[in-house]
Amino acid sequence: MITQNVTRNAASQNPTRRQFLTRSCMAFSGAAIGLRAQRLGARPAAASAEIPKIDPGYIGPQFFDEREEQALLEVLESGSPFRYWGPGEPTKVLRFEEDFAEYMGARFALGVTSGTAALDCAVAGLGIGPGDEVIVPAYTWWSDYTCVVHAGALPVFADIDRTLNIDPKDFERKITPRTKAVIAVHLLGGLCDMDPIMEIARKHKVAVLEDCAQCVGGSFGTKKLGSVGDVGIYSFQINKMMTSGEGGAVVTSDPLIYERAARFHDMGTIRQLFLDRSGPSRVQTFAGENFRMSELTGAVLGAQLTKLDSMVAQLRANGRAIYDGIKSLPGIRLRRRPDPQGDTGYGVYFEMKDKATRDRCIRELRGRKVPAGTMSGSVLLPIQESVINKRARHPDWPSFNSPRGRQIKYGPDCCRQTLGVYDRFVQVRVGAKYTPRINDYIVDAIREVYNSVV
Ligand SMILES: *Cc1c(COP(=O)(O)O)cnc(C)c1O
C-alpha cells in the first residue's frame, strides 16, 4: 500500500508514460495484496465482500515498456511512418515481417492492418473464388465467414467438438468436390486437432488456412501454429496476445500464396521487396485492396515480438496451474487439448452436464469474483440472422446465387453439436500477471463450486 501511494504521488508530480505503466502494473499487485489480506482474514472467501477484482486484463499492453516507446520514437523522429518510403529509411514493418516469419518457422510473413485483412489476403492467396466452398467452424469470429463471402465463395459450416475447435469428423463429412479450403481456427488459446485435420485435408486435396488470431505463439508439437497448414493468419488487436491496437499478419512458406497475398494487400501490385523474398513474379496484376501496415504499427509489433515468448510462458504457466488444480475433481470433463504443451492458456474450460448446471456454475463462480462465463470472443455464426438470410452487400452476390449457394440452409439444424458444446462449457479467464495466490484462489473456488452444483 505504501509503494502504491508513493507511486501515485510521484505520478501526479511527473505524470510520464512510465508512471502510467507502473500504475497499471500496481493494479495487479494491488489485487494480490488485497487477496492475501482477505485470505488471511477470518471470513470464508466466498462470503467476503472484500474479495478483490481478479482481472485478467489485456495481455499485450501489460508488457508495454521502453522498447515500444523507443521504437515509436524512432519512427516519429525519422518522419517516416509509411513502410515504403519517407524522408528517412523505414524498416520497422520490413524487419517485423522477417522476425515474425522466423519466429513462426515459415519462409514468408506479410504485415497487414488487421486479422480480418489477413484472412482476406490468405483467401486471395489461395485463389479462392465463386464456385468454391470453404469449410468454416460454426463457432468462430465473423471474419472467418466474411472472408469467404467477400471472395464470392460459399461458406459451409462444420461443428466444433470438445476441443472447442472444428471437429475433424464433421470437417470430412462436409467436403464436396467443390471444397477448396478449410479454416482451422485455433480458438480461445487452444489448438485444433491438427493431425486428423491435415490428414483429411491432404487426402481430399483441400488447402488448410490456420486462423491463429486467438492463439498467437501457440504451438503443435515442434511447430508454431500458422506454419502447420498451407497459410496462417494472426491478429494483433488488443484482445489477442501481442498487440498494436489493430494489426494482422499472414505467414506461409509457399511463394505463390505469398505473392498473391502480398499483391492483394497492395492494390494487386507487387513491390520488389516481396519478390526479393519469394522469387520472380508468378502472377499478373489483379484488383486488390490497401491493407498495408504502417511503420508505427510495425514498431510496436517489433517490440512486442521480443516479449511474445514471455507473454505465452506466463499465461501458459497460470493456465496449467489452474488445470492441474482441478483435473483430479471426480468426473470433471475438461476441454480436450490435442497438445496441452502448445495451449497458450488464455482460459480454463470444463463441461457441465447441461446448460442449467453450467449457468448455475458460472453464477456461483462469479459470486466468488472468479472471471467465469460462457465461451467468449466468437459468434455462433449459423444462427445469426444475416447468415440465415444469406445477406451479402448485393442481392446477386455469387456466394449465394450458385445452385449450391441457393440450396444450402444455415440455421440451428446445421450446427446442433456446436450449440450443445457452447451451452455446456464454462470458461474461466486466465491472466498473464496472475500470482500463484490468485491461481490457488481460483482453483479452490472451482473445486468448491463444481462439487456443489453437480
Ligand atoms: C479477432 C479475430 C479475427 C480478426 O482479427 P481483427 O484483427 O480483429 O480483424 C479473426 N479470427 C479470429 C478467430 C479472431 O478472434
Side-chain angles (χ1 to χ4, degrees), residues 29-49:
S29 34
I33 290 162
L35 188 59
R36 201 170 308 139
Q38 188 273 315
R39 278 173 71 92
L40 292 172
R43 279 187 292 170
S48 172

Side-chain angles (χ1 to χ4, degrees), residues 16 301 440:
T16 62
L301 292 176
D440 289 348

Side-chain angles (χ1 to χ4, degrees), residues 59-60 62-63 100 103-104 189-191 212-220 223-225 234 240-243 304-321 339-347 430-433:
I59 304 157
Q62 292 166 8
F63 290 78
F100 196 72
Y103 182 92
M104 292 301 169
L191 46 141
C212 315
Q214 297 187 15
C215 214
V216 182
S219 51
F220 175 62
K223 288 190 169 173
K224 285 286 192 315
L225 298 182
Y234 307 82
K240 317 297 163 113
M241 185 73 82
M242 49 185 269
T243 189
Q304 288 265 288
L305 183 58
T306 65
K307 295 172 245 184
L308 180 56
D309 276 336
S310 61
M311 289 179 201
V312 173
Q314 290 181 47
L315 195 62
R316 194 178 263 165
N318 293 335
R320 186 178 304 152
D339 180 0
Q341 311 295 325
D343 196 292
T344 63
Y346 177 85
V430 176
K433 302 285 184 180

Side-chain angles (χ1 to χ4, degrees), residues 212-282:
C212 315
Q214 297 187 15
C215 214
V216 182
S219 51
F220 175 62
T222 56
K223 288 190 169 173
K224 285 286 192 315
L225 298 182
S227 67
V228 184
D230 299 284
V231 55
I233 74 96
Y234 307 82
S235 164
F236 309 120
Q237 187 259 348
I238 190 172
N239 287 322
K240 317 297 163 113
M241 185 73 82
M242 49 185 269
T243 189
S244 45
E246 298 275 16
V250 181
V251 305
T252 183
S253 291
D254 182 319
L256 178 60
I257 295 176
Y258 189 66
E259 184 183 342
R260 292 186 56 98
R263 282 184 175 277
F264 189 71
H265 113 292
D266 193 7
M267 319 312 302
T269 64
I270 192 95
R271 303 238 156 225
Q272 189 56 42
L273 81 93
F274 299 108
L275 298 178
D276 288 345
R277 292 169 179 165
S278 60
S281 175
R282 296 161 168 87

Side-chain angles (χ1 to χ4, degrees), residues 47-48 72 87 166 194 240 289 343 361 433:
S48 172
L72 281 168
I166 194 164
M194 288 311 282
K240 317 297 163 113
E289 282 284 356
D343 196 292
C361 183
K433 302 285 184 180

Side-chain angles (χ1 to χ4, degrees), residues 114-116 119 140-141 143-144 185 187 211 213-214 235 237 240 247:
S114 70
T116 303
L119 278 163
T140 186
W141 184 238
S143 321
D144 295 300
V185 189
L187 279 184
D211 177 343
Q214 297 187 15
S235 164
Q237 187 259 348
K240 317 297 163 113

